[in-house]
Amino acid sequence: MTLFDSMKKTRKWLFVGCIVFASICTLMAAEPKPKWAYDEFSMRAVFSPLSQENPFSLIKLPYHESFARSGGAKATDENGNNLPFRVVMTNNDNAFILVQASNGVGRLFVVYYGSTSGREGEMGGGGDSIADSNPVRVDILEAPGFGIPETWERMRYLYVKSGRQTDTEFLPGFVDDIIAGEQQRSRKKREGGRRWLVRMNTLLLCKQSGKYEFAVKCRNSAFVFLDGRKVVFRNISEKDDAWTKGEAVELQNGIYRLDVFHCTGQELSLKMGWVTPAEKEIAPLPPEVMITSGDFTDCRLEKIDRSLHADFSWQMQTPYRFLDNDVTFAPVKFIGKIETWLDMSPKVKWRFQGNVFSDEYDPVHVFTNAATERVLLKVRDSMGFEDECEKRIDFLLSEPEVLYVDSSVRGLPPVCFPGDSIDGMLEINGDIPKINLWELDFSIQYSDKREMSHEQEISLPYKTNFCGRAADFREINWQLKHHKVIIDRGKVVFVRPPYDSISRLSIRGEGFFDENGSRIVMISPVEGIGYNSSIQQKNAGNTVVFVGSGPLFEIIKERKDVFLNISSKNNEPPIDFKMIRFDSWQECPEAYGPLLKVTAAIKATHENPCLVVFAAGYDDFMTQTIPAEFERHAAIMTDMIAARSTADVMWVVPPPYGGQRGKMMPYAEAICRIAYKRKIPAIDLYSMMCAEGAENFFDVTGVYFNQYGKKRITEIMVREILKRCGGNGNGK
């Protein structure tokens, strides 16, 4: 072996030795905190008290046989000083340990267990039979306003938004006596008419498994929760001296957190009772089943032969919900606090609500409609050691802020012909939560039964286009989801004759909507859908409906008596003449005015008419509605009558108002085209007045008819109605 080879070998062993030495130093430096004081115990739970106000802490640990032995467990502070404790109960899954710890900010306390020593058959303990003599915590706050809440949402809102906390007291139980400080609050109540919000809390021992019923007796309203589940609601109208009992709940033997929320302006008097599996009548809660107040103390579980211990904490962020949606989203940031003495980067796996998993070290998870939830953290290091930690999170008093999101389609005409181009856009806007996760399900059904659909994750704001001919489309659907919850949805239906799927139309903006909130696009054939020539062949009634607005409508209204004297045949009752005015644009500010004509046509079909007379164009002329758009409105009005009734249709061509002969002509031509293509009659006032001199029919304004114009129009209208009805009448 050469000198060079010998040097290489020596350097290699020096390198290995350095690694071993560094590992030993790491092990020596990274010892558990606090130090492991008792080697005879294989496991321990490290914790800090929940609050400085209550020296008692209740710990929920996995069951171990050592808890059934006297001396099988020990409780100490971080310096190894013994603490009094008591094993309250055990079941198949857990052991519940009550520890009396001296208070101190940031101090650690330890419960050791897992020893094989001790006497069998004796419940473990610390030598003292300790008990919390005041296990019920009472928090009293000034309530805003003067009302008594009758829903949990209102009670929660008042509690979260209430004023300063006036008292925190610890009581031996739920009592119906005036508690300390009540006299002072009663005086404030009388002076200022104030209300008080009261929250009472304890950890309740249920020794038996089975069905329990809980009951409350108090003044005004109260809500009772067991581990975040509402078990009793007392209404303000119930008698003060009577128990209010909730529905039965199935419970396993164990310890549960009991919360009571109460609002009153009177003296505080509240009793809690229950019906246990062994009883049939309501009895007050006995003192021995109320262990302590607060909640279970979070602890870190450790094993003496493991260098890896899982633990975590969390930070609740502002919960939120969306307008018109009942689901509350509660984002929570989790912080891993893993104790490891060998591996600085162990693998983690979190399990959240609904078996949702994450492998991030400090994840953020959004809970939905949560009351209380359990979160599990599992860790594994490179040596193969594994550990886990499970904790419960309380969302009972999470008051959400309200956000807004809206999805709608743009660029769709309310009425169109089959060959018209459709260039639509789905647009989604709104408040964007910090957890910006959105899913969009979007589908288009075509008239030839083809379907296009896709699901994708999106960010807001969002836009997507779709285009084609009106005749190509049948239906468009979309759903907007946030964390798999449907927040908004929409639907567009392209409706063709006979329009029998539409029972009622409403107008919002520039669109039609049915009773289910779906957007409606009405397709009217260019040539119409066919009409019968005489109502005599249809066995229709004798009702004539005049539908319109503007000066023509006022003339007919003024001379309505003339129309009521029209008789369809000799020796028969006069025709029933009715009038329907287009809805006022001012009365429907949410609607695009020109569309109101179409809804009036639907109203006309409800009268079972034999003839419908339309007079439109004046409002459209005054507001400069595009003539092509007006023509489509007139077409769908005509087709709706043909599809939904046995009535004939007759149009009145608008006259040249105000001497605006050229500007009125496109609207008059649109009516004439509709009448010609559908082979229906039209009273052409435009051509007649232009031929005879429009100035002869109007007053000096050129808008309102003079007496001659009113008489002439009445004669023409009566004559044309008689033609359609085949009878006689007097139009003088």
Side-chain angles (χ1 to χ4, degrees):
M1 178 183 297
T2 64
L3 180 62
F4 180 73
D5 293 334
S6 177
M7 291 176 62
K8 285 200 302 181
K9 187 173 182 180
T10 303
R11 187 166 53 186
K12 176 181 178 182
W13 284 108
L14 283 172
F15 179 73
V16 173
C18 290
I19 294 178
V20 173
F21 179 75
S23 300
I24 294 173
C25 292
T26 301
L27 283 171
M28 294 175 63
E31 59 186 8
K33 296 179 182 179
K35 293 181 179 180
W36 201 287
Y38 300 97
D39 294 341
E40 66 268 27
F41 297 98
S42 61
M43 288 165 284
R44 70 177 186 175
V46 182
F47 66 96
S48 296
L50 280 175
S51 68
Q52 297 183 9
E53 300 166 328
N54 185 3
F56 291 92
S57 293
L58 187 64
I59 305 174
K60 183 179 180 180
L61 300 176
Y63 175 77
H64 191 275
E65 60 182 8
S66 61
F67 291 120
R69 301 188 184 96
S70 176
K74 179 185 286 289
T76 72
D77 61 16
E78 59 185 337
N79 297 319
N81 300 315
N82 290 336
L83 297 175
F85 74 98
R86 174 167 65 98
V87 179
V88 179
M89 74 162 296
T90 61
N91 56 25
N92 294 332
D93 301 317
N94 300 105
F96 300 89
I97 316 296
L98 183 66
V99 182
Q100 186 174 359
S102 58
N103 291 317
V105 178
R107 295 190 62 182
L108 296 177
F109 301 89
V110 185
V111 171
Y112 291 89
Y113 62 101
S115 172
T116 57
S117 62
R119 293 187 298 274
E120 294 284 350
E122 295 186 12
M123 184 69 74
D128 297 320
S129 180
I130 65 167
D132 188 349
S133 59
N134 293 299
V136 177
R137 176 182 174 127
V138 182
D139 294 312
I140 303 176
L141 302 92
E142 293 183 10
F146 302 102
I148 300 296
E150 296 186 13
T151 65
W152 167 243
E153 289 73 21
R154 178 63 177 164
M155 176 73 83
R156 181 185 63 194
Y157 176 82
L158 291 179
Y159 191 89
V160 173
K161 302 296 183 181
S162 59
R164 64 183 181 87
Q165 186 164 319
T166 61
D167 291 289
T168 296
E169 304 179 22
F170 294 89
L171 303 179
F174 293 90
V175 296
D176 58 350
D177 299 325
I178 297 175
I179 68 171
E182 182 61 38
Q183 295 289 358
Q184 180 182 2
R185 283 188 295 275
S186 296
R187 186 176 69 253
K188 288 183 179 180
K189 189 267 174 184
R190 288 192 298 271
E191 293 173 354
R194 300 185 182 183
R195 297 290 187 270
W196 307 99
L197 284 170
V198 181
R199 179 182 183 180
M200 308 179 79
N201 157 270
T202 191
L203 290 167
L204 187 67
L205 171 62
C206 298
K207 297 180 180 180
Q208 299 173 284
S209 298
K211 289 186 177 180
Y212 287 77
E213 295 174 285
F214 292 88
V216 64
K217 183 190 294 185
C218 64
R219 300 186 182 101
N220 298 326
S221 61
F223 298 83
V224 181
F225 292 85
L226 192 72
D227 271 5
R229 175 183 178 182
K230 186 165 64 178
V231 292
V232 184
F233 163 53
R234 177 180 174 84
N235 198 301
I236 188 174
S237 61
E238 299 185 43
K239 295 182 179 179
D240 294 347
D241 57 350
W243 287 104
T244 299
K245 186 170 65 173
E247 296 182 359
V249 291
E250 188 77 29
L251 300 177
Q252 298 295 321
N253 61 328
I255 296 179
Y256 299 85
R257 196 185 74 186
L258 184 72
D259 289 282
V260 182
F261 293 86
H262 176 44
C263 183
T264 183
Q266 307 174 42
E267 295 175 347
L268 176 59
S269 174
L270 186 143
K271 270 190 176 182
M272 276 300 305
W274 65 356
V275 180
T276 65
E279 303 293 337
K280 294 183 179 180
E281 300 295 332
I282 299 175
L285 293 179
E288 63 270 16
V289 302
M290 292 176 278
I291 306 304
T292 189
S293 59
D295 202 349
F296 294 109
T297 302
D298 290 330
C299 57
R300 183 177 72 246
L301 301 182
E302 299 180 352
K303 296 181 180 180
I304 196 170
D305 60 346
R306 294 290 185 268
S307 62
L308 180 66
H309 300 293
D311 192 16
F312 64 90
S313 62
W314 63 87
Q315 297 173 352
M316 287 193 181
Q317 301 177 6
T318 304
Y320 57 91
R321 67 176 181 86
F322 294 94
L323 192 66
D324 299 326
N325 192 287
D326 296 331
V327 178
T328 296
F329 300 88
V332 180
K333 179 177 177 58
F334 292 90
I335 302 101
K337 294 184 175 180
I338 301 170
E339 293 285 335
T340 175
W341 311 329
L342 290 177
D343 190 346
M344 295 299 105
S345 57
K347 294 182 179 180
V348 301
K349 187 174 185 179
W350 301 81
R351 187 187 70 193
F352 303 112
Q353 176 189 45
N355 284 329
V356 176
F357 298 92
S358 173
D359 56 3
E360 298 180 42
Y361 196 86
D362 296 328
V364 175
H365 182 72
V366 178
F367 295 85
T368 55
N369 277 354
T372 58
E373 293 293 337
R374 305 201 71 85
V375 175
L376 176 67
L377 169 63
K378 290 185 176 182
V379 294
R380 178 185 177 89
D381 64 14
S382 58
M383 303 291 292
F385 293 134
E386 295 181 348
D387 195 23
E388 63 182 46
C389 176
E390 186 178 38
K391 295 184 180 182
R392 185 179 69 178
I393 304 177
D394 177 21
F395 299 92
L396 191 60
L397 291 174
S398 297
E399 178 65 24
E401 63 176 339
V402 180
L403 304 180
Y404 169 78
V405 68
D406 175 67
S407 60
S408 58
V409 288
R410 312 287 185 191
L412 289 182
V415 178
C416 59
F417 292 141
D420 289 348
S421 296
I422 298 294
D423 187 9
M425 174 185 292
L426 173 62
E427 188 172 342
I428 306 174
N429 293 292
D431 299 319
I432 304 175
K434 295 179 181 179
I435 310 300
N436 186 19
L437 178 63
W438 295 95
E439 299 172 358
L440 175 65
D441 297 344
F442 183 74
S443 66
I444 299 177
Q445 297 178 17
Y446 294 95
S447 55
D448 59 3
K449 298 184 179 180
R450 289 183 297 119
E451 183 172 355
M452 183 277 292
S453 63
H454 65 268
E455 301 178 7
Q456 64 180 106
E457 292 187 1
I458 64 171
S459 298
L460 300 188
Y462 175 81
K463 297 179 181 179
T464 185
N465 294 84
F466 53 92
C467 56
R469 294 186 312 120
D472 296 336
F473 295 98
R474 182 165 296 277
E475 198 170 284
I476 298 174
N477 292 274
W478 69 90
Q479 287 185 345
L480 181 64
K481 300 178 183 178
H482 184 57
H483 292 280
K484 299 182 179 180
V485 176
I486 297 176
I487 301 301
D488 199 14
R489 67 178 73 195
K491 185 177 185 179
V492 179
V493 182
F494 292 79
V495 182
R496 296 161 172 79
Y499 312 113
D500 51 5
S501 61
I502 303 175
S503 59
R504 185 173 61 87
L505 277 181
S506 61
I507 304 172
R508 297 198 300 271
E510 298 184 4
F512 289 126
F513 294 84
D514 65 12
E515 61 272 18
N516 298 318
S518 300
R519 178 77 177 268
I520 300 296
V521 177
M522 305 182 73
I523 301 177
S524 179
V526 176
E527 303 296 332
I529 60 176
Y531 299 87
N532 294 322
S533 60
S534 173
I535 62 173
Q536 303 296 329
Q537 300 172 359
K538 302 178 184 178
N539 297 319
N542 67 333
T543 300
V544 175
V545 180
F546 181 84
V547 185
S549 64
L552 276 178
F553 188 89
E554 297 304 324
I555 291 177
I556 305 302
K557 181 180 179 182
E558 180 183 328
R559 302 172 69 85
K560 186 177 180 180
D561 291 343
V562 175
F563 293 90
L564 291 174
N565 290 327
I566 299 175
S567 177
S568 59
K569 287 184 179 180
N570 292 327
N571 302 321
E572 288 191 3
I575 287 176
D576 185 12
F577 188 82
K578 296 184 178 181
M579 302 180 68
I580 296 177
R581 184 193 296 272
F582 296 146
D583 289 334
S584 169
W585 297 16
Q586 289 75 20
E587 294 174 359
C588 303
E590 76 284 358
Y592 176 54
L595 296 182
L596 296 173
K597 299 189 296 293
V598 181
T599 58
I602 297 177
K603 293 178 183 178
T605 63
H606 298 162
E607 302 294 339
N608 189 28
C610 65
L611 175 65
V612 177
V613 182
F614 286 120
Y618 175 77
D619 291 334
D620 298 273
F621 162 68
M622 296 298 292
T623 56
Q624 299 182 2
T625 303
I626 299 173
E629 183 181 348
F630 169 74
E631 183 173 350
R632 284 156 175 77
H633 296 167
I636 201 65
M637 292 167 65
T638 309
D639 293 344
M640 288 290 287
I641 299 299
R644 300 168 68 93
S645 76
T646 59
D648 276 351
V649 178
M650 182 166 60
W651 271 95
V652 179
V653 180
Y657 290 105
Q660 300 289 335
R661 180 173 179 175
K663 293 183 179 180
M664 280 300 304
M665 183 180 292
Y667 301 94
E669 290 176 340
I671 295 297
C672 291
R673 280 193 297 270
I674 294 298
Y676 174 76
K677 292 179 179 179
R678 283 156 175 74
K679 298 180 176 59
I680 59 175
I683 304 175
D684 191 356
L685 296 182
Y686 183 90
S687 299
M688 183 268 291
M689 291 184 182
C690 288
E692 298 183 12
E695 65 278 4
N696 297 323
F697 294 85
F698 296 97
D699 61 12
V700 293
T701 65
V703 175
Y704 299 102
F705 292 94
N706 56 29
Q707 291 300 319
Y708 171 76
K710 293 178 181 179
K711 180 180 178 181
R712 187 86 166 87
I713 289 175
T714 303
E715 292 173 349
I716 295 172
M717 293 286 294
V718 170
R719 184 178 69 242
E720 294 300 327
I721 290 175
L722 287 173
K723 284 183 181 179
R724 302 304 298 169
C725 296
N728 301 312
N730 184 3
K732 296 181 181 180

